[in-house]
Amino acid sequence: MRWQYSGLNNTSDLIDMKKHYISTMPKLLGYLGLLPFIVPTVFLFFDHGHLDMWRHFLLSYGAVILSFVGALHWSFAMLLHELPINKQRWSFFWSIVPSLVAWVSLSIPKFYGFILLAVFFAIALIRDKQLSDKVELPAWYTPLRRNLTVVAMTCLLIAAYMGNGKQLIYII
């Protein structure tokens, strides 16, 4: 006996449904992955006694995530066979750059570490956009990366500002 959902009229409906569900998981995980950026950033405004701790959480998580973003290009270089060999080589090379930058960001004064991470999140997004112009990536990938990058960069820049001897004034 064959099961059939009455709302699906043809194979393309089934493919569209599968694409929707496949894109839901990365979106959910991506947005949940913003919590370690957002929560410490919120605490920067309310827990001034632990400012260094919250900034440390942000800097270290930002470094981990920037490394992850770079590693995606290693996968792209391995799996996107339509990439010309020079583009594959460049993707392999680029994939390690964010990890090295992340490592440096943890080894320099925090203010500069936050700025360095924020700048390289922007560069990584540009690299992703350049790749998506050359090969077909899932439709959800670039918009998701853009949204995640904007939030991550905003949190990192707030942390840089907050720790540089300046504190934002909030009104109750």
Side-chain angles (χ1 to χ4, degrees), residues 37 58-67 98 101-106 108 110-124 149 152-153 156-157:
F37 281 112
L58 277 165
L59 187 66
S60 57
Y61 186 67
V64 168
I65 296 303
L66 185 62
S67 295
V101 168
W103 173 63
V104 169
S105 75
L106 295 171
I108 60 178
K110 282 186 174 145
F111 174 79
Y112 299 108
F114 286 119
I115 301 300
L116 185 62
L117 287 177
V119 166
F120 267 84
F121 269 107
I123 292 169
T149 297
M153 288 177 62
L156 292 168
L157 293 172

Side-chain angles (χ1 to χ4, degrees), residues 8-68:
L8 298 177
N9 298 324
N10 56 40
T11 306
S12 68
D13 286 345
L14 183 60
I15 290 169
D16 289 343
M17 186 175 84
K18 184 177 178 185
K19 283 182 182 178
H20 169 74
Y21 285 110
I22 289 172
S23 71
T24 300
M25 181 60 75
K27 288 176 187 175
L28 176 65
L29 293 173
Y31 289 119
L32 286 174
L34 288 176
L35 288 175
F37 281 112
I38 295 168
V39 170
T41 302
V42 168
F43 276 99
L44 290 175
F45 291 94
F46 301 106
D47 186 11
H48 299 284
H50 297 98
L51 201 62
D52 284 338
M53 178 185 73
W54 298 119
R55 292 178 76 236
H56 172 75
F57 288 163
L58 277 165
L59 187 66
S60 57
Y61 186 67
V64 168
I65 296 303
L66 185 62
S67 295
F68 173 81

